[in-house]
Amino acid sequence: MSNIISFDGNVTPDDDSLQMSNGGTDVLISILALSGSVIARTENEKRLMVYLSENDQIIGRGCVGFDIVEMPWEKATFEEDKRFMLRVIKGAENKTGWEKLDYSPNERFVSCYLEKFENLINRMTADDIRADASKNWLSGADEKDPVRCGFPRCKKHGIFLTCFGCQICNH
């Protein structure tokens, strides 16, 4: 099965969408979660990390993914949040937190995934934000959801928990 992270859902053979195997998706989301959880400070940054972690294999084996424009961006903080996401990618490239994994990611594949993910983030502008995306995503969170409870972290991996638990422990 192929998982796709696209810019806006319009996937064509020559676009810049990121297509990965189930394992590749798991690795990408895990290393982004490890990197981002170290540097996230604001509520928006933490929310972006939880969103990424919730959009992995936890919710299905194959055919998962998301669109960059559907992430919980906020127009008021977009430029800061975009810079944060680019720092998250750089941290993952520098192997931030990889020592917490019980495997060694394939650096060749990871490098390619991170480069493509960075290209998608770089394309994003405040005008591309889907105004209702953040609201719709948060509307599904009940009062016990980590995004409503102060963003707790996994005691073992230090990443932000999702409504499914820890992205890394669940695999």
Side-chain angles (χ1 to χ4, degrees):
M1 293 305 226
S2 181
N3 304 307
I4 300 173
I5 299 174
S6 69
F7 183 72
D8 61 5
N10 296 319
V11 180
T12 62
D14 60 344
D15 75 1
D16 55 358
S17 295
L18 178 53
Q19 297 184 27
M20 302 166 287
S21 66
N22 294 341
T25 305
D26 183 49
V27 170
L28 177 66
I29 299 299
S30 293
I31 64 173
L32 290 171
L34 286 164
S35 172
S37 292
V38 170
I39 63 172
R41 299 290 178 259
T42 69
E43 188 167 314
N44 288 343
E45 292 169 351
K46 293 173 185 178
R47 197 177 294 136
L48 285 164
M49 296 317 305
V50 171
Y51 178 87
L52 285 177
S53 292
E54 283 185 1
N55 280 281
D56 182 36
Q57 300 303 302
I58 295 169
I59 58 173
R61 298 306 289 169
C63 297
V64 298
F66 60 93
D67 300 329
I68 299 298
V69 298
E70 295 282 332
M71 291 174 65
W73 303 104
E74 299 291 337
K75 285 197 184 244
T77 60
F78 173 73
E79 291 302 326
E80 295 87 14
D81 295 339
K82 181 177 176 178
R83 284 192 297 273
F84 163 75
M85 286 303 305
L86 294 171
R87 287 192 322 270
V88 168
I89 295 165
K90 291 299 176 210
E93 288 172 348
N94 292 327
K95 302 180 184 178
T96 300
W98 286 25
E99 71 279 358
K100 295 178 182 177
L101 297 171
D102 61 1
Y103 61 90
S104 297
N106 181 314
E107 293 181 42
R108 189 178 58 132
F109 286 125
V110 165
S111 177
C112 179
Y113 296 157
L114 290 170
E115 180 181 343
K116 288 184 176 189
F117 189 69
E118 182 176 26
N119 290 342
L120 291 169
I121 296 296
N122 275 324
R123 262 183 73 184
M124 186 70 188
T125 68
D127 292 336
D128 295 316
I129 294 173
R130 299 251 168 98
D132 59 344
S134 184
K135 184 176 79 169
N136 290 342
W137 175 63
L138 288 172
S139 70
D142 67 26
E143 68 276 352
K144 293 182 182 177
D145 192 298
V147 296
R148 302 226 186 262
C149 297
F151 301 97
R153 296 173 183 258
C154 171
K155 291 183 186 341
K156 180 177 180 183
H157 298 105
I159 66 172
F160 296 107
L161 297 175
T162 72
C163 60
F164 306 111
C166 173
Q167 153 66 21
I168 298 170
C169 288
N170 286 330
H171 295 281

